[in-house]
Amino acid sequence: MLEVELQVLKGQESSTDLSIFIAREGVNALRLKVEDLETERSRLEEEKRSLELKLEQVTLQGGDYDPSKTKVLHLSVNPASLAKQQRLEEQAHLREECERLREMVRVLERGGSLPETSEGAASLQSPQEIADLKKQLESAELKNQRLKEVFRTKIQEFRKACYSLTGYQIDMTCENQYRLTSVYAEHREDCLIFKDSRSCGRKMQLLETEFSQTVRDLIDLHLHHQDSIPVFLSAVTLELFSRQTMT
């Protein structure tokens, strides 16, 4: 009895092992099937996206036009052609207008007058308005001339005042350069020349002249050491005044 039961138990164990083996094989087969299905699904999704892109491109390009199912109407007066023709006509008209105005400007620049029958002359002011403008222009020119004369007179008065107060006649020889001639100068060519260098970040600079070589000691003292142009000019004035007094 015990041997029979042992044989039965061994048979059941073998059957269980076989069932486990069969179950494992089934699971592996199912896993492979799932992987294949996932791969197929990915491929189908990629094809779907590709087809959607192609469909969108065909739609944008008008590729869905089917001559057998679509009827094209041709208008006797095409709005696009009509607008293009109008634009060309407007451009031609503007070119002619510009050329006519250029010719008017050339005539006026040469001092000529426009014919009364010309379209440009008709668009300008009337003869009375032109006469009024000429009067206003003459009045403005006369006023400008008077201002220039007043300004010139004031400049002369200012220069005379500077000459009387400082003892120096100041003349502008060129841009940013000034010539100073003392009232006590022994010769007309005895002068000092200063150059305005403030645009370069420096102040007035004394340029060398024949007269400046005769006052070297004053230059060293008042310009190099004291750094004062007014004191230097005053010292030169005293020096020249003393020379005349001694003479």
Side-chain angles (χ1 to χ4, degrees), residues 172-178 194-197 199 204 207:
M172 180 181 289
T173 57
C174 60
E175 185 177 1
N176 297 332
Q177 189 166 305
Y178 306 91
F194 287 89
K195 183 177 182 181
D196 188 358
S197 303
S199 59
M204 288 281 188
L207 303 182

Side-chain angles (χ1 to χ4, degrees), residues 59-84:
T59 302
L60 293 175
Q61 293 178 350
D64 55 348
Y65 165 68
D66 187 357
S68 62
K69 299 179 180 179
T70 306
K71 184 177 181 179
V72 180
L73 298 179
H74 297 278
L75 300 177
S76 59
V77 180
N78 193 336
S81 301
L82 182 60
K84 183 178 179 180

Side-chain angles (χ1 to χ4, degrees), residues 74-101:
H74 297 278
L75 300 177
S76 59
V77 180
N78 193 336
S81 301
L82 182 60
K84 183 178 179 180
Q85 182 64 28
Q86 291 177 351
R87 182 169 61 85
L88 293 176
E89 292 177 357
E90 290 178 357
Q91 290 179 352
H93 177 70
L94 291 175
R95 280 195 294 268
E96 293 176 358
E97 182 70 14
C98 290
E99 184 60 30
R100 185 179 60 81
L101 292 175

Side-chain angles (χ1 to χ4, degrees), residues 142-156:
L142 181 59
K143 184 177 180 180
N144 189 28
Q145 184 64 28
R146 290 177 179 175
L147 288 176
K148 288 181 179 180
E149 293 176 357
V150 171
F151 186 67
R152 189 180 300 109
T153 302
K154 293 298 181 182
I155 289 178
Q156 294 296 331

